[in-house]
């Protein structure tokens, strides 16, 4: 049931109960018409209707109603319903209000007991009056504070569990990325070896004019064998790379450096405080550059979340011939709980090197004007060329260097 409707239904039930208590003379007679006691009863029941949505208003209505009821009666029904007003204000209202209510109601319980003992001139009356006032005033507030504390603990544990799950997912994604990067490097080496042999043998056939038909045929058969073997190994490796994401589009087109705001937003949802600054004119870059920049940023934010102090500053600067990615985060006071093997830094450096860029990472002293935090920060700087060198040019350069 909707909480608002539930509160309205409860208000109607307790109002009917209060009327029944008035009809059974459950109030102190002071020579006034019993109908007047319906007014504070109705006001305190109105507070029940607003108990979740307006807890402070509920408390104000309850206080006004109990003051009027004490002046006219008092009546048992209004006093009992007033305890729910105190409970709701302490549970749903501001925490500071609940703390103040605990102190105020405790003092009032002692004062009421003292007045009762003074008027009756009897210590028993003091004890009875104090206990009754404590049950009406202090007990609802204490109960609400206990429930509120348990509720806050549940929320904190749930948030902690979600953060641990996000860290585990980030670790899993980092492990998958590292493994796929290793497989991609292996694929590159395999294809490069086979097609280097093809290129060398083809160049030999072209440069040698004195070869007979049998020699040419033998060289061509070797070229074909290397080509077929290279294609077969490439299909096998690509099949492994696509095994976990068969229906997804290629990785190079899925992740781009221009998607840095989305990556930063996801890290913020994981609990990090991140400032992102983009300078220059963002533009489409070659897929290798886009993917390398995206993965370096992703790994840097993962490391900042695991080993940092929960904050990071990200800067992406576009120039005419390069893109500079900078990630800075305060060093955590104690990162022993999440040790790292350094594979992430190696992987980031390797990604930058594969596209002809540079990569540096390490601790440094915090500069004046830097974001508040510890005196030492961890800084990652990756400089990537705006245009990647074509694969054929790399292959030719490698062959010429042999």
């Amino acid at each position: 049931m909707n909480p608002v409707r539930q509160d309205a239904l409860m208000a109607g039930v307790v109002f009917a109960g209060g009327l029944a208590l008035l009809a059974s003379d459950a109030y102190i007679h002071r020579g006034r018409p019993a109908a007047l006691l319906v007014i504070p009863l109705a006001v305190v029941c109105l507070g029940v209707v607003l108990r979740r949505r307006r807890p402070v208003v509920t408390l104000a209505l309850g206080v006004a109603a109990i003051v009027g009821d004490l002046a006219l009666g008092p009546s048992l029904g209004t006093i009992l319903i007033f305890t729910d007003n105190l409970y709701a204000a302490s549970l749903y209202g501001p925490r500071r209000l609940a703390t103040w209510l605990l102190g105020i109601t405790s003092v009032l319980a002692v004062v009421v007991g003292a007045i009762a003992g003074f008027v009756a001139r009897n210590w028993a009356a003091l004890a009875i009056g104090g206990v009754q006032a404590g049950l009406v005033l202090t007990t609802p507030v204490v109960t609400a504070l206990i429930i509120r504390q348990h509720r806050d603990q549940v929320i904190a544990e749930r948030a902690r569990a979600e953060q641990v799950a996000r860290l585990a997912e980030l670790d899993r994604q980092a492990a998958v990325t590292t493994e796929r990067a290793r497989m991609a490097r292996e694929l590159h080496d395999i294809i490069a070896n086979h097609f280097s042999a093809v290129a060398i043998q083809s160049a030999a056939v072209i440069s040698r004019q004195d070869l007979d038909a049998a020699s040419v045929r033998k060289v061509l058969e070797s070229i074909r064998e290397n080509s077929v073997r290279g294609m077969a190994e490439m299909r096998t490796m690509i099949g492994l790379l696509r095994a976990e994401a068969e229906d997804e589009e290629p990785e190079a087109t899925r992740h781009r450096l221009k998607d840095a705001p989305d990556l930063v937003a996801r890290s913020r949802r994981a609990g990090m405080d991140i400032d992102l600054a983009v300078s220059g004119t963002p533009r489409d870059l070659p897929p290798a550059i886009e993917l390398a920049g995206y993965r370096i940023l992703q790994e840097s934010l993962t490391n900042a979340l695991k080993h940092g102090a929960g904050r990071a500053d990200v800067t992406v600067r576009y120039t005419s011939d390069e893109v500079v990615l900078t990630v800075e985060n305060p060093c955590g006071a104690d990162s022993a709980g999440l040790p790292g093997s350094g594979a992430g830094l190696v992987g980031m450096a390797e990604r930058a090197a594969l596209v002809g860029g540079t990569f540096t990472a390490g601790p440094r002293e915090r500069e004046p004007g830097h974001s508040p935090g510890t005196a030492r920060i961890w800084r990652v700087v990756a400089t990537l060329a705006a245009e990647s060198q074509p694969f054929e040019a790399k292959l030719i350069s490698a062959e010429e260097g042999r």
Side-chain angles (χ1 to χ4, degrees):
M1 182 184 294
N2 190 314
V4 176
R5 294 182 60 184
Q6 184 178 357
D7 291 340
L9 179 60
M10 184 171 67
V13 172
V14 297
F15 182 71
L19 292 177
L21 289 174
L22 288 176
S24 61
D25 292 337
Y27 64 95
I28 297 178
H29 296 268
R30 293 186 176 178
R32 296 183 178 89
L36 292 178
L37 293 173
V38 177
I39 298 176
L41 176 64
V43 173
V44 79
C45 289
L46 179 60
V48 176
V49 177
L50 303 174
R51 62 197 303 270
R52 300 175 195 264
R53 292 174 292 170
R54 298 289 188 271
V56 178
V57 175
T58 294
L59 178 63
L61 291 173
V63 171
I66 200 67
V67 170
D69 186 72
L70 291 174
L72 297 174
S75 63
L76 180 60
T78 301
I79 294 175
L80 292 177
I81 301 172
F82 175 67
T83 61
D84 181 77
N85 295 155
L86 288 174
Y87 173 82
S90 302
L91 181 60
Y92 302 114
R95 181 176 292 275
R96 182 176 297 180
L97 174 62
T99 304
W100 278 96
L101 283 177
L102 179 61
I104 293 172
T105 55
S106 300
V107 172
L108 284 177
V110 175
V111 171
V112 170
I115 293 175
F118 177 79
V119 172
R121 299 185 182 277
N122 188 347
W123 286 102
L126 185 151
I128 294 173
V131 170
Q132 290 178 344
L135 290 174
V136 172
L137 298 174
T138 309
T139 302
V141 178
V142 172
T143 304
L145 286 174
I146 293 174
I147 294 177
R148 184 167 190 160
Q149 181 180 3
H150 286 296
R151 186 184 64 181
D152 292 344
Q153 288 177 350
V154 170
I155 294 174
E157 291 297 329
R158 184 182 296 114
R160 188 176 296 111
E162 292 176 353
Q163 186 173 14
V164 171
R166 292 191 188 100
L167 285 173
E169 178 62 20
L170 288 174
D171 286 340
R172 189 195 69 82
Q173 293 178 359
V176 171
T177 300
T178 301
E179 182 65 16
R180 290 187 176 183
R182 182 186 64 82
M183 296 173 69
R185 289 194 297 270
E186 292 176 355
L187 175 63
H188 173 271
D189 294 339
I190 291 171
I191 299 303
N193 288 335
H194 285 294
F195 283 93
S196 295
V198 170
I200 294 173
Q201 291 171 339
S202 301
V205 171
I206 294 174
S207 61
R208 295 286 300 274
Q209 303 294 331
D210 57 341
L211 294 178
D212 56 13
S215 299
V216 172
R217 182 178 181 84
K218 185 177 181 180
V219 172
L220 292 178
E221 288 176 353
S222 177
I223 291 175
R224 181 182 182 281
E225 180 182 358
N226 277 291
S227 301
V228 172
R229 186 178 302 172
M231 292 297 294
E233 292 178 351
M234 182 176 66
R235 283 195 297 268
T236 301
M237 195 69 73
I238 290 176
L240 292 175
L241 289 172
R242 292 179 175 176
E244 294 184 6
E246 186 173 353
D247 297 332
E248 296 179 3
E249 57 182 327
E251 186 179 48
T253 60
R254 283 193 292 113
H255 298 308
R256 302 178 302 168
L257 188 57
K258 290 200 303 184
D259 296 332
D262 296 335
L263 182 58
V264 168
R266 289 198 297 271
S267 299
R268 286 171 179 162
R269 288 195 295 270
M272 291 191 65
D273 181 14
I274 304 177
D275 287 335
L276 173 63
V278 179
S279 62
T281 304
R283 60 188 184 276
D284 291 332
L285 301 173
I289 303 298
E290 295 278 11
L291 181 59
Y294 183 94
R295 289 306 187 191
I296 291 173
L297 175 59
Q298 183 183 46
E299 181 68 21
S300 300
L301 293 179
T302 301
N303 290 339
L305 178 63
K306 293 195 297 184
H307 307 297
R311 174 175 176 79
D313 294 321
V314 179
T315 303
V316 182
R317 181 166 58 88
Y318 290 87
T319 64
S320 59
D321 55 355
E322 65 183 14
V323 179
V324 181
L325 174 64
T326 305
V327 180
E328 296 180 347
N329 63 275
C331 296
D334 182 13
S335 60
L338 289 172
S341 62
L345 296 177
V346 175
M348 288 189 285
E350 183 70 10
R351 282 191 178 274
L354 286 176
V355 295
T358 60
F359 174 86
T360 59
R364 57 179 295 173
E365 297 296 326
R366 181 168 62 89
E367 299 176 357
H370 194 273
S371 58
T374 119
R376 292 178 65 79
I377 63 172
W378 184 270
R379 185 177 188 185
V380 172
V381 180
T383 303
L384 309 176
E387 297 293 336
S388 61
Q389 187 179 10
F391 174 76
E392 294 81 6
K394 290 184 178 180
L395 181 61
I396 294 173
S397 299
E399 291 299 328
E400 291 178 348
R402 290 187 178 182

